[in-house]
């Protein structure tokens, strides 16, 4: 990883290294030299319940929406059962394979990554956000 420059935007890249497509997505994320990527591999690291709740808020989804409904553990143990958010957050912490990943997280927002092209869209969106903050003092009309 390159050194962090003051102008770089920092992102957390949450992924599961046991999944080849996610390793490939991480490789692509690392190639974005205008950003500093802080990888969080769910196969080796734990995210707290509170952090998952914050990530869900940044994604603008419910905690339930963080779950990968195609996961075997989900199908066997969770599907059709009623869990409150606290139970789901505990499950996410204990069984990170349940989480839809990869997810990229900045200070203000987050996004599920479905393909490497999502990074290009995010670059444009974050550039717009940065420009908005840079031009905050200027009038809009």
């Amino acid at each position: 990883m390159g050194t962090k420059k003051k102008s770089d935007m920092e992102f957390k890249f949450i992924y599961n290294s046991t999944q080849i497509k996610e390793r490939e997505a991480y490789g692509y994320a690392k190639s974005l030299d205008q950003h500093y990527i802080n990888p969080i591999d769910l196969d080796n690291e734990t995210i707290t319940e509170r952090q998952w709740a914050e990530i869900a808020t940044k994604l603008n989804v419910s905690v339930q929406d963080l779950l990968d409904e195609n996961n075997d553990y989900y199908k066997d143990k969770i599907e059709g059962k009623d869990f409150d958010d606290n139970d789901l957050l505990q499950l996410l912490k204990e069984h990170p394979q349940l989480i839809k990943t990869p997810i990229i997280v900045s200070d203000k927002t987050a996004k599920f990554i479905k393909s490497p092209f999502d990074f290009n869209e995010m670059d444009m969106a974050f550039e717009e956000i940065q420009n908005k903050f840079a031009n905050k003092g200027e009038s809009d009309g």
Side-chain angles (χ1 to χ4, degrees):
M1 242 181 301
T3 56
K4 187 175 175 182
K5 297 185 287 281
K6 197 171 191 162
S7 62
D8 288 351
M9 223 172 163
E10 181 173 349
F11 295 101
K12 290 183 178 115
F13 185 81
I14 302 168
Y15 75 112
N16 187 333
S17 66
T18 64
Q19 304 297 315
I20 190 163
K21 287 185 184 224
E22 296 192 22
R23 288 195 308 268
E24 290 170 355
Y26 173 56
Y28 188 86
K30 282 195 311 187
S31 74
L32 300 173
D33 61 355
Q34 67 271 34
H35 301 301
Y36 178 78
I37 304 296
N38 178 10
I40 300 172
D41 179 1
L42 295 177
D43 194 45
N44 300 314
E45 297 179 56
T46 303
I47 294 181
T48 67
E49 291 98 328
R50 181 172 171 221
Q51 289 169 316
W52 281 123
E54 289 170 1
I55 290 167
T57 299
K58 286 181 180 183
L59 284 164
N60 201 25
V61 299
S62 69
V63 173
Q64 175 76 39
D65 291 334
L66 291 173
L67 299 173
D68 178 2
E69 295 178 359
N70 295 315
N71 180 278
D72 290 336
Y73 187 90
Y74 178 89
K75 290 177 181 176
D76 294 343
K77 306 283 186 197
I78 297 168
E79 193 171 34
K81 295 185 179 144
D82 195 24
F83 292 95
D84 67 19
D85 281 355
N86 289 330
D87 292 336
L88 290 173
L89 289 167
Q90 185 66 37
L91 274 168
L92 292 174
K93 182 182 170 205
E94 292 174 7
H95 302 282
Q97 77 273 19
L98 284 170
I99 299 155
K100 278 187 218 167
T101 51
I103 302 170
I104 195 152
V105 182
S106 74
D107 285 343
K108 301 202 180 336
T109 190
K111 181 174 172 72
F112 289 110
I113 300 297
K114 295 179 184 87
S115 94
F117 298 111
D118 290 349
F119 291 110
N120 297 332
E121 290 172 21
M122 285 184 69
D123 263 354
M124 289 184 265
F126 285 124
E127 208 170 288
E128 273 180 44
I129 291 166
Q130 284 178 322
N131 289 339
K132 220 179 249 185
F133 286 127
N135 300 327
K136 210 173 189 173
E138 297 175 11
S139 77
D140 290 330

